[in-house]
Coordinates of all heavy atoms in Angstrom, one line a residue:
R36 N 115.7 -61.4 -66.2 CA 115.1 -62.1 -65.1 C 116.1 -62.8 -64.2 O 115.9 -62.8 -63.0 CB 114.0 -63.0 -65.6 CG 112.9 -62.3 -66.2 CD 111.8 -63.2 -66.6 NE 110.8 -62.4 -67.3 CZ 109.5 -62.9 -67.4 NH1 109.2 -64.0 -66.9 NH2 108.6 -62.1 -67.9
K37 N 117.0 -63.5 -64.8 CA 117.9 -64.3 -64.0 C 119.2 -63.6 -63.6 O 120.1 -64.2 -63.1 CB 118.3 -65.5 -64.8 CG 117.2 -66.4 -65.3 CD 116.6 -67.2 -64.2 CE 115.5 -68.0 -64.7 NZ 114.7 -68.7 -63.8
A38 N 119.2 -62.3 -63.7 CA 120.5 -61.5 -63.4 C 120.9 -61.7 -61.9 O 122.1 -61.7 -61.6 CB 120.3 -60.1 -63.8
G39 N 119.9 -61.7 -61.0 CA 120.2 -61.9 -59.6 C 120.9 -63.2 -59.3 O 121.9 -63.3 -58.5
L40 N 120.5 -64.2 -60.0 CA 121.1 -65.5 -59.8 C 122.5 -65.6 -60.4 O 123.4 -66.1 -59.8 CB 120.3 -66.7 -60.4 CG 118.9 -66.9 -59.7 CD1 118.1 -67.9 -60.5 CD2 119.1 -67.3 -58.3
F41 N 122.7 -64.9 -61.5 CA 124.0 -64.9 -62.1 C 124.9 -64.0 -61.3 O 126.1 -64.3 -61.1 CB 123.9 -64.3 -63.5 CG 123.5 -65.3 -64.6 CD1 122.3 -65.2 -65.2 CD2 124.3 -66.4 -64.9 CE1 121.9 -66.1 -66.1 CE2 123.9 -67.3 -65.8 CZ 122.7 -67.2 -66.5
A42 N 124.4 -63.0 -60.7 CA 125.2 -62.1 -59.8 C 125.7 -62.9 -58.6 O 126.9 -62.8 -58.3 CB 124.4 -60.9 -59.4
A43 N 124.8 -63.7 -58.0 CA 125.2 -64.5 -56.9 C 126.3 -65.5 -57.3 O 127.3 -65.8 -56.5 CB 124.0 -65.2 -56.3
A44 N 126.1 -66.1 -58.4 CA 127.1 -67.1 -58.9 C 128.4 -66.5 -59.2 O 129.5 -67.1 -58.8 CB 126.5 -67.8 -60.2
F45 N 128.4 -65.3 -59.8 CA 129.7 -64.6 -60.1 C 130.4 -64.2 -58.8 O 131.6 -64.4 -58.7 CB 129.5 -63.4 -61.0 CG 129.3 -63.8 -62.5 CD1 128.2 -63.1 -63.2 CD2 130.0 -64.7 -63.1 CE1 128.0 -63.4 -64.5 CE2 129.8 -65.0 -64.4 CZ 128.8 -64.3 -65.1
L46 N 129.7 -63.7 -57.9 CA 130.3 -63.3 -56.6 C 130.8 -64.4 -55.8 O 131.9 -64.4 -55.2 CB 129.4 -62.4 -55.8 CG 129.0 -61.0 -56.5 CD1 128.0 -60.3 -55.7 CD2 130.3 -60.2 -56.7
L47 N 130.1 -65.5 -55.8 CA 130.5 -66.7 -55.1 C 131.8 -67.3 -55.8 O 132.7 -67.7 -55.1 CB 129.4 -67.8 -55.1 CG 129.8 -69.1 -54.4 CD1 130.0 -68.9 -52.9 CD2 128.7 -70.1 -54.6
A48 N 131.8 -67.3 -57.1 CA 133.0 -67.7 -57.8 C 134.2 -66.8 -57.5 O 135.3 -67.3 -57.4 CB 132.7 -67.8 -59.3
A49 N 134.0 -65.5 -57.4 CA 135.1 -64.6 -57.1 C 135.6 -64.9 -55.7 O 136.8 -65.0 -55.5 CB 134.6 -63.2 -57.2
W50 N 134.7 -65.2 -54.8 CA 135.1 -65.5 -53.4 C 135.9 -66.8 -53.4 O 137.0 -67.0 -52.8 CB 133.9 -65.6 -52.5 CG 134.3 -66.1 -51.1 CD1 134.9 -65.5 -50.2 CD2 134.0 -67.4 -50.6 NE1 135.0 -66.3 -49.0 CE2 134.5 -67.5 -49.3 CE3 133.4 -68.6 -51.1 CZ2 134.4 -68.6 -48.5 CZ3 133.3 -69.7 -50.3 CH2 133.8 -69.7 -49.0
L51 N 135.5 -67.8 -54.2 CA 136.2 -69.1 -54.3 C 137.5 -69.0 -54.9 O 138.5 -69.6 -54.5 CB 135.3 -70.1 -55.0 CG 134.1 -70.6 -54.3 CD1 133.3 -71.5 -55.2 CD2 134.5 -71.4 -53.0
V52 N 137.7 -68.1 -55.9 CA 139.0 -67.9 -56.5 C 139.9 -67.2 -55.6 O 141.1 -67.6 -55.5 CB 138.8 -67.0 -57.8 CG1 140.1 -66.5 -58.3 CG2 138.1 -67.8 -58.9
W53 N 139.4 -66.2 -54.8 CA 140.3 -65.6 -53.8 C 140.6 -66.5 -52.7 O 141.7 -66.3 -52.0 CB 139.6 -64.3 -53.3 CG 140.2 -63.1 -53.9 CD1 141.5 -62.8 -54.2 CD2 139.5 -61.9 -54.4 NE1 141.7 -61.6 -54.7 CE2 140.5 -61.0 -54.9 CE3 138.2 -61.5 -54.3 CZ2 140.1 -59.8 -55.4 CZ3 137.9 -60.3 -54.8 CH2 138.8 -59.4 -55.3
T54 N 139.9 -67.5 -52.4 CA 140.2 -68.4 -51.3 C 141.4 -69.3 -51.7 O 142.0 -70.0 -50.8 CB 139.0 -69.3 -50.9 OG1 138.6 -70.0 -52.0 CG2 138.0 -68.5 -50.2
I55 N 141.8 -69.3 -52.9 CA 143.0 -70.0 -53.3 C 144.2 -69.4 -52.6 O 145.1 -70.1 -52.1 CB 143.2 -70.0 -54.8 CG1 142.0 -70.8 -55.5 CG2 144.5 -70.6 -55.2 CD1 142.0 -70.7 -57.0
R56 N 144.3 -68.1 -52.6 CA 145.4 -67.4 -52.0 C 145.2 -66.8 -50.6 O 146.2 -66.5 -49.9 CB 145.9 -66.2 -52.9 CG 146.3 -66.6 -54.3 CD 147.7 -67.1 -54.4 NE 148.6 -66.1 -54.0 CZ 149.9 -66.2 -53.9 NH1 150.4 -67.4 -54.2 NH2 150.7 -65.3 -53.6
L57 N 144.0 -66.6 -50.3 CA 143.6 -65.9 -49.0 C 142.8 -66.8 -48.1 O 142.3 -67.8 -48.5 CB 142.8 -64.6 -49.3 CG 143.4 -63.6 -50.2 CD1 142.4 -62.5 -50.6 CD2 144.7 -63.0 -49.6
E58 N 142.8 -66.4 -46.8 CA 141.8 -67.1 -45.9 C 140.4 -66.8 -46.3 O 140.1 -65.8 -47.0 CB 142.1 -66.5 -44.5 CG 143.4 -66.9 -43.9 CD 143.5 -68.4 -43.6 OE1 142.5 -69.0 -43.2 OE2 144.6 -68.9 -43.8

Side-chain angles (χ1 to χ4, degrees):
R36 295 182 182 204
K37 303 286 184 189
L40 294 176
F41 280 112
F45 283 135
L46 294 174
L47 180 65
W50 174 73
L51 289 173
V52 168
W53 257 319
T54 55
I55 294 171
R56 298 279 297 176
L57 303 171
E58 294 290 326

